[in-house]
Amino acid sequence: MSIRFRSLLLLVGLAAGLSGCGTVNEKLTAGMGDYVPQWAGGLPADAPPRPGTPQYDAWMKEREQKRLMPAVGRANEVQAQKGATGSTSGDAVR
């Protein structure tokens, strides 16, 4: 066999293998993204729950309640949460 034919056959084989991996990964990424740590490119800690779960419904209800709350009440709630966690904007690393 000539070198060109072998090269072409190798490229076709690699392309077929790579396209097969793409369809497998499409199905796996829907569930695997939840298990990858944040430092490795996974979901951040403050990401909302997945749609269609009971946690998502509760999160949406809480979000709607916050949206309907007056601005003064939301500001007080944010300050209370910052006080509880002990984080302030002055603690930023520079």
Side-chain angles (χ1 to χ4, degrees):
M1 283 205 270
S2 72
I3 293 178
R4 282 189 161 175
F5 183 71
R6 285 183 189 173
S7 298
L8 180 64
L9 190 60
L10 178 66
L11 286 175
V12 168
L14 287 174
L18 191 59
S19 67
C21 289
T23 58
V24 169
N25 287 337
E26 177 185 346
K27 292 174 178 57
L28 287 177
T29 56
M32 290 301 294
D34 296 338
Y35 302 109
V36 176
Q38 182 182 1
W39 59 266
L43 289 173
D46 61 347
R50 297 268 184 202
T53 61
Q55 295 88 2
Y56 181 77
D57 296 335
W59 180 76
M60 287 299 289
K61 286 179 185 177
E62 180 183 340
R63 187 174 172 192
E64 182 65 19
Q65 288 175 350
K66 285 183 181 179
R67 187 184 71 82
L68 295 174
M69 187 183 300
V72 175
R74 280 184 279 175
N76 292 339
E77 186 175 317
V78 169
Q79 286 179 347
Q81 286 178 351
K82 282 186 179 179
T85 60
S87 64
T88 62
S89 61
D91 293 339
V93 178
R94 296 184 186 169

